[in-house]
Amino acid sequence: MPEPSTVDQLRDQLRSLGYLSHGIERWFALDPWRSRTFWSELVVIASKVGAAHSLALTIPVLSVMLIRNQPMKAIDLLTLALSYIAFCFVVVFTAVVLTALFMRIRPRAPIEHPRVLLAISMGISALFCAGLTIWWLGFPSPAIVLERVVFLALLLLSFLFGVTILSAALLSFSIHATQQIPSVRHRRRMLPISIAAVAIFSAVCFLSFRSEAEAVPLRPQQIVVRPTGRHVAFLAVDGLSYEIFAARKTLAGLFVVPCSPLVGLSAAERWATAGSGTEGEIHGVRSIEGVRSRLSGAVLQYVSTTDIVLRNVIPALGLLRRAPLPPTVRRRDYIWEILASRGIPSSAFNWWVTDQQTTPLMKSDNQEHIFAAAHHPGRSPALEAEAIDQIALSRLTESAVREKRQFVTAFLPALDIVLNRIGLDAASRLTFSVGALDSLDRAVSDLHGRGYDVFILGMPGDLQSGRGLIASTIPLAAKRASALDVAPTLADLEGFPASDEMKGHSLLPESTQTRLPSFGARESASASSHLDEEYYESLKSLGYIR
């Protein structure tokens, strides 16, 4: 066992080189396997390292959550901070203990080769930074510039802090395990640490920008069109199956084609696929999740998909519960947006993932706006669903009659809501579903009487069996179709080409529709930056959020 004077001298040398902290100095002259004090000191030092490093790892996480979920209530911030710190503490504590015990195999290596000690410390700290990076890249929406700068800066500081404190702890372990005083020489550590920091910075930047990069063909400079001048009305009816449609004598007089339903997708995903004509990996709409605090009642809408703490740990403790949210990101235009951007006056009402806008060529009342107009305190979900359809149809009719828009469309969810999403007895379900079909029947008759070619797409709801359907007041060529055929057919009706991204085909007889590579990405990828609480409650009451 080393003499006290020699140990004191070693302490001074190591402290001058930045290896030691006050709490770690007491761990020198203990027999690592025969003394219980060794194990108690191991726990104490691992706890100190865990407490210090968990704070350094939590600060980048809290910063990102604050930037993305503004404003955040103090109680929620405190809950997140304590939860992340506790989780990081367990991870760091376990890593320090396991690494120290693993070093028992060759305890002299860090003493005889200081570079080994530095490499181990940088490796462990880099693994922690990799975990933070995976967490950060797990957000569905891209980061703003401020978030990138803050996260990268705090990530590098966390790496440097981790290297320092881990190297001190592991060096102390080597001294205790070998009972040997190393010949300490001043080593330049800043160069390898700086190289590692630059490598981490470059890797995170590369992964961040690569996750957002998308191979999108350039928007075509010229598009050859043959405008038909047709007035088209497109009605999308959720919950309308081919079997239900065929049972209506008035509606069955239309030209109708059965189609395969889009299964395994949320309502927003299904209808974004139908409205854009592109599949999910192209249009980008997908279901996302947030968490609702049981303490404040607030919803944290931006949660990483790889966040173990918020998605698994805290919900298990009962402090938060996971809550699905409506998608807010769409990378492709709906077909009516494509038409409007190229000179066809269009109107759209109540469609998922759309912006609220009014321009000479495009009028759009989004779902949040129409749901708010239909919502009244004390109104039952079935009556609210009925009101949503009525508002959408009345605004569509007004746009067709007063504004003479060439293309009008509305999404009608009432049938799906009363059949699949809310609890109703059989008699009430029949009453409300017949009412929804009556409204559809009147709308088709009115629009067709005003000179519109009416086009209907129906798809069964989430819990509903049966086939979908495509119906029209004009003949259709196919005997069976797909929901992906809707967008190319509507484009063909107005004399526009389809794109190669649209997997379907025009259903018009003797169609000579051409193709172009792509209509390009949306100018605005986000429909809503933040979910209104009233809209969230409406979605919940109507059965879209459970």
Side-chain angles (χ1 to χ4, degrees):
M1 184 172 296
E3 296 294 331
S5 59
T6 307
V7 172
D8 290 338
Q9 181 181 7
L10 177 61
R11 285 174 175 165
D12 293 337
Q13 293 175 359
L14 293 177
R15 190 185 301 112
S16 65
L17 295 174
Y19 278 105
L20 294 184
S21 62
H22 175 73
I24 300 176
E25 295 174 10
R26 297 183 292 107
W27 203 23
F28 277 155
L30 303 176
D31 187 334
W33 300 109
R34 298 178 184 177
S35 173
R36 294 182 180 178
T37 310
F38 169 80
W39 293 102
S40 64
E41 286 295 308
L42 174 59
V43 171
V44 169
I45 297 307
S47 299
K48 289 185 176 182
V49 174
H53 200 24
S54 62
L55 287 173
L57 294 173
T58 300
I59 291 175
V61 175
L62 289 180
S63 300
V64 171
M65 293 298 290
L66 278 172
I67 293 173
R68 285 184 176 261
N69 292 280
Q70 294 180 354
M72 185 183 294
K73 296 184 178 181
I75 185 64
D76 294 331
L77 178 61
L78 179 62
T79 301
L80 291 182
L82 294 177
S83 302
Y84 283 124
I85 289 174
F87 180 80
C88 292
F89 173 83
V90 173
V91 173
V92 175
F93 178 90
T94 303
V96 171
V97 172
L98 292 179
T99 304
L101 296 180
F102 179 76
M103 287 173 57
R104 177 63 181 167
I105 299 175
R106 293 193 61 188
R108 296 179 181 272
I111 295 178
E112 298 172 352
H113 306 283
R115 293 178 180 176
V116 173
L117 173 66
L118 185 60
I120 294 175
S121 303
M122 289 196 301
I124 297 174
S125 189
L127 285 177
F128 293 150
C129 291
L132 290 179
T133 302
I134 293 173
W135 170 86
W136 184 53
L137 296 176
F139 284 95
S141 56
I144 62 176
V145 175
L146 174 63
E147 181 185 328
R148 293 179 191 275
V149 173
V150 170
F151 179 78
L152 289 173
L154 294 176
L155 184 70
L156 292 181
L157 290 176
S158 174
F159 171 75
L160 297 175
F161 182 82
V163 171
T164 301
I165 193 170
L166 288 169
S167 61
L170 297 178
L171 177 62
S172 296
F173 173 81
S174 297
I175 295 173
H176 304 156
T178 61
Q179 297 185 7
Q180 177 181 351
I181 301 173
S183 176
V184 178
R185 297 184 299 274
H186 183 74
R187 296 284 184 181
R188 293 184 176 180
R189 298 186 296 166
M190 288 309 299
L191 180 59
I193 293 177
S194 299
I195 294 175
V198 170
I200 291 175
F201 178 86
S202 303
V204 174
C205 287
F206 173 77
L207 292 173
S208 173
F209 286 105
R210 183 182 179 184
S211 65
E212 297 177 26
E214 183 185 5
V216 180
L218 296 176
R219 188 177 292 275
Q221 298 298 317
Q222 294 182 346
I223 298 177
V224 178
V225 298
R226 298 185 299 274
T228 61
R230 276 181 162 171
H231 285 67
V232 178
F234 172 42
L235 301 177
V237 188
D238 204 359
L240 179 60
S241 67
Y242 177 80
E243 291 73 18
I244 293 176
F245 186 91
R248 294 282 298 189
K249 294 182 178 179
T250 53
L251 292 176
L254 301 174
F255 297 95
V256 59
V257 177
C259 69
S260 302
L262 301 173
V263 297
L265 303 175
S266 67
E269 293 172 284
R270 288 196 302 271
W271 292 103
T273 297
S276 65
T278 61
E279 296 179 325
E281 60 269 19
I282 296 177
H283 65 63
V285 175
R286 59 193 181 280
S287 293
I288 58 176
E289 275 192 327
V291 293
R292 177 180 285 275
S293 171
R294 295 188 183 274
L295 300 176
S296 69
V299 178
L300 300 180
Q301 298 180 32
Y302 301 100
V303 178
S304 173
T305 56
T306 57
D307 195 321
I308 299 175
V309 176
L310 290 187
R311 292 182 175 274
N312 303 103
V313 177
I314 305 183
L317 298 177
L319 298 177
L320 298 173
R321 59 183 176 86
R322 296 168 63 172
L325 302 174
T328 57
V329 177
R330 178 162 54 91
R331 297 194 297 260
R332 289 297 183 275
D333 285 324
Y334 287 125
I335 183 61
W336 48 92
E337 294 170 330
I338 293 173
L339 299 177
S341 65
R342 291 161 178 83
I344 303 295
S346 304
S347 294
F349 302 94
N350 200 44
W351 274 86
W352 290 93
V353 202
T354 53
D355 303 309
Q356 186 75 15
Q357 60 175 309
T358 300
T359 66
L361 290 175
M362 185 70 226
K363 179 178 181 180
S364 175
D365 277 353
N366 65 6
Q367 207 168 54
E368 182 175 344
H369 191 258
I370 290 182
F371 275 34
H375 178 73
H376 292 283
R379 175 180 279 177
S380 69
L383 289 175
E384 186 171 336
E386 186 178 65
I388 290 171
D389 274 15
Q390 291 174 353
I391 292 172
L393 287 173
S394 65
R395 294 185 181 181
L396 179 144
T397 302
E398 180 182 2
S399 182
V401 174
R402 295 181 57 185
E403 301 174 4
K404 306 295 183 182
R405 299 271 177 167
Q406 190 171 335
F407 189 102
V408 293
T409 181
F411 172 71
L412 308 176
L415 191 60
D416 172 53
I417 293 171
V418 298
L419 291 179
N420 304 300
R421 299 189 180 277
I422 58 177
L424 292 175
D425 58 78
S428 298
R429 189 180 298 113
L430 177 62
T431 299
F432 283 106
S433 60
V434 169
L437 292 172
D438 286 341
S439 297
L440 176 64
D441 193 4
R442 289 192 297 270
V444 172
S445 177
D446 182 48
L447 290 166
H448 189 50
R450 295 181 184 277
Y452 280 83
D453 296 320
V454 182
F455 202 82
I456 299 174
L457 171 64
M459 285 194 286
D462 293 338
L463 305 177
Q464 193 174 349
S465 60
R467 295 170 291 175
L469 69 109
I470 296 174
S472 175
T473 56
I474 61 176
L476 301 175
K479 294 183 179 180
R480 189 170 185 82
S482 164
L484 290 167
D485 295 328
V486 171
T489 304
L490 294 175
D492 202 8
L493 280 170
E494 296 291 2
F496 277 67
S499 73
D500 290 334
E501 294 175 333
M502 297 178 179
K503 301 303 181 183
H505 300 84
S506 174
L507 301 177
L508 300 184
E510 300 179 358
S511 173
T512 58
Q513 188 179 39
T514 58
R515 293 270 174 173
L516 73 163
S518 171
F519 283 104
R522 293 192 71 206
E523 294 182 2
S524 172
S526 176
S528 175
S529 60
H530 203 71
L531 176 65
D532 181 77
E533 185 70 19
E534 184 178 359
Y535 178 45
Y536 178 88
E537 292 301 329
S538 294
L539 291 171
K540 184 177 178 181
S541 67
L542 294 172
Y544 286 104
I545 295 176
R546 301 183 184 276

